[in-house]
């Protein structure tokens, strides 16, 4: 297989685009495409500060590397969840630290959940066997990412790729969760002073493409999944979608892009009170109040889910 641009041996064949490229041309193609999506979906402007949430994995470190190469003021945020199982948090932080050492211009902020809030994610999860570890963890991460982005006056960027987005979409569609469907998008503008704008610049790349980018750029990333991810439904949905992709080239991309088109046309709005004539923002259709403790918007009365979680945790300590 040869590169479409220069006829050298190709390192990757992107069947959904009918495009095979050599390393050099692939490393030119990925940033150009990313820049195109940033502009097309109005994710952020060149002068803005971007906070990239990094986990030590290939997607987030590649995104950070790429945004720095494109000349963005991109800072990193690592949330130390305190997952000592299989040494996960320490190994992933070591990968992030190594990236920062090597990459000129990379500035990192670390938020240690246990240090700041008193308990690690596994400790919290052990105290709440009725709740899934990943949903607790997701709540804590989303809150810290939003707060840190606000503090830094930044747009929050995450490394979600197409495989991630398509798996979540499949899950939402299987349960017809129209609220989630309305809020699944490559960019979520800030609709409240306490909500940062959020963007997913890699949302159109397959996972194998972000992995290829990381390898070709010499980024050392953590291969192991978080030990709590084992058996996660999204992994199962990813497998299903890969089987579909094996039978039908470009199926994952089509599935997601067709959803975005339907969403833009107001397809899911018919279930909401304000009708299909407007594209909703992230909070529309929801009754939003402000959390008594932290001021973040919340649909719950009194405290937001994050503050409720820690209030209970504090009471348990006391
Ligand atoms: S880190 Fe947290 Fe993930 Fe680990 S506990 Fe689950 S949500 S799997 S992306
Ligand atoms: Zn080439
Ligand atoms: Zn709160």
């Amino acid at each position: 297989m040869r590169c479409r641009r220069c006829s050298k041996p190709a390192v990757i064949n992107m069947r959904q685009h009918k495009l095979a490229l050599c390393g050099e041309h692939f490393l030119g193609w990925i940033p150009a495409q990313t820049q195109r999506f940033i502009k097309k979906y109005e994710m952020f402007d060149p002068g803005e500060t971007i906070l990239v949430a990094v986990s030590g994995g290939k997607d987030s470190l590649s995104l950070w590397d790429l945004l720095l190469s494109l000349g963005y003021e991109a800072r990193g945020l690592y949330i130390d969840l305190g997952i000592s199982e299989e040494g996960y948090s320490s190994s992933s932080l070591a990968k992030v630290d190594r990236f920062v050492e090597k990459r000129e211009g990379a500035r990192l902020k670390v938020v240690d959940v246990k240090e700041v809030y008193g308990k690690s994610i596994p400790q919290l999860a052990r105290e709440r066997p009725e709740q899934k570890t990943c949903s607790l963890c997701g709540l804590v991460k989303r809150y810290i990412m939003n707060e840190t982005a606000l503090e830094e006056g930044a747009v929050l960027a995450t490394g979600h790729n197409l495989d991630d987005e398509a798996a979540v979409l499949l899950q939402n569609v299987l349960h017809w969760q129209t609220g989630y469907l309305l809020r699944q998008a490559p960019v979520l503008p800030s609709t409240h002073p306490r909500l940062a704008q959020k963007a997913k610049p890699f949302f159109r790349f397959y996972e194998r493409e972000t992995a290829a980018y990381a390898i070709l750029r010499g980024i050392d990333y953590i291969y192991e999944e978080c030990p709590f991810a084992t058996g996660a439904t999204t992994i199962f949905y990813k497998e299903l979608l890969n089987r579909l992709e094996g039978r039908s080239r470009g199926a994952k991309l089509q599935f997601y892009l067709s959803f975005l088109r339907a969403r833009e046309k107001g397809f899911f709005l018919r279930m909401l009170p304000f009708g299909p004539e407007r594209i909703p923002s992230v909070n529309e259709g929801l009754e939003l109040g402000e959390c008594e403790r932290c001021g973040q918007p919340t649909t719950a009365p009194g405290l937001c889910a994050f503050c409720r979680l820690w209030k209970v945790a504090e009471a348990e300590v006391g």
Side-chain angles (χ1 to χ4, degrees):
M1 200 179 36
R2 299 267 155 194
C3 171
R4 170 96 79 80
R5 307 260 158 88
C6 71
S7 301
K8 280 189 198 152
V11 295
I12 190 159
N13 182 17
M14 295 173 282
R15 291 174 67 228
Q16 78 279 21
H17 301 306
K18 296 192 186 116
L19 182 64
L21 292 173
C22 69
E24 188 191 333
H25 281 115
F26 180 70
L27 284 180
W29 183 82
I30 287 264
Q33 290 291 98
T34 309
Q35 182 54 54
R36 191 163 78 80
F37 303 143
I38 290 171
K39 223 173 151 196
K40 177 173 178 186
Y41 294 91
E42 298 175 1
M43 294 184 181
F44 37 78
D45 293 322
E48 285 186 274
T49 303
I50 321 299
L51 184 71
V52 185
V54 287
S55 63
K58 63 185 183 321
D59 302 298
S60 54
L61 288 180
S62 294
L63 177 62
W64 193 10
D65 176 72
L66 193 147
L67 292 178
L68 287 170
S69 300
L70 286 171
Y72 286 100
E73 168 65 36
R75 301 174 192 164
L77 165 68
Y78 177 81
I79 302 174
D80 192 333
L81 305 165
I83 299 176
S84 53
E85 287 79 354
E86 298 168 30
Y88 179 72
S89 285
S90 51
S91 328
S92 51
L93 178 56
K95 299 288 183 193
V96 178
D97 280 337
R98 200 169 142 62
F99 176 86
V100 174
E101 271 166 33
K102 278 176 68 185
R103 190 64 165 88
E104 207 182 312
R107 280 173 51 201
L108 176 71
K109 176 168 180 145
V110 177
V111 176
D112 185 321
V113 174
K114 185 165 183 195
E115 216 172 275
V116 180
Y117 298 100
K119 286 181 188 189
S120 68
I121 295 295
Q123 278 176 309
L124 262 182
R126 275 194 292 276
E127 289 162 6
R128 280 171 192 69
E130 72 288 357
Q131 264 177 284
K132 285 192 183 146
T133 306
C134 289
S135 64
L136 279 174
C137 178
L139 169 68
V140 171
K141 284 196 293 190
R142 280 193 302 279
Y143 186 90
I144 295 174
M145 288 189 287
N146 184 61
E147 281 292 296
T148 316
L150 289 174
E151 275 165 33
E152 307 255 328
V155 173
L156 178 73
T158 53
H160 294 97
N161 58 43
L162 188 97
D163 294 58
D164 299 323
E165 291 301 294
V168 171
L169 177 60
L170 181 58
Q171 188 166 15
N172 289 340
V173 166
L174 286 175
H175 298 96
W176 282 114
Q177 286 173 307
T178 45
Y180 287 151
L181 287 168
L182 272 173
R183 277 166 272 283
Q184 192 181 352
V187 62
L188 293 175
S190 166
T191 49
H192 185 283
R194 302 282 299 147
L195 282 179
Q197 173 145 322
K198 299 174 181 78
K200 299 170 185 171
F202 276 180
F203 83 101
R204 282 179 65 156
F205 295 130
Y206 282 17
E207 198 168 304
R208 59 194 285 272
E209 292 153 17
T210 57
Y213 178 87
I215 292 164
L216 289 167
R217 289 282 298 157
I219 296 170
D220 181 18
Y221 61 87
I222 186 157
Y223 291 89
E224 293 77 28
E225 290 269 10
C226 165
F228 293 103
T230 328
T233 36
T234 44
I235 296 180
F236 174 62
Y237 291 138
K238 279 184 182 179
E239 286 165 10
L240 284 178
L241 287 162
N242 282 337
R243 284 179 60 187
L244 192 63
E245 181 80 23
R247 293 275 290 268
S248 166
R249 180 179 63 203
K252 282 188 284 196
L253 185 62
Q254 274 317 312
F255 176 52
Y256 190 70
L257 292 184
S258 307
F259 154 71
L260 282 190
R261 278 193 291 273
R263 185 183 176 279
E264 277 159 23
K265 284 186 183 151
F267 191 71
F268 304 105
L269 289 179
R270 297 194 184 117
M271 288 96 171
L272 289 178
F274 43 73
E277 60 282 345
R278 279 187 305 126
I279 301 296
S281 63
V282 63
N283 300 321
E284 282 189 56
L286 292 177
E287 284 290 317
L288 280 188
E290 279 174 12
C291 171
E292 285 168 3
R293 192 148 107 162
C294 73
Q296 272 204 19
T298 171
T299 48
L303 297 176
C304 71
F306 179 86
C307 290
R308 245 181 298 132
L309 175 71
W310 291 104
K311 200 171 172 223
V312 176
E314 277 163 20
E316 281 162 1
V317 169

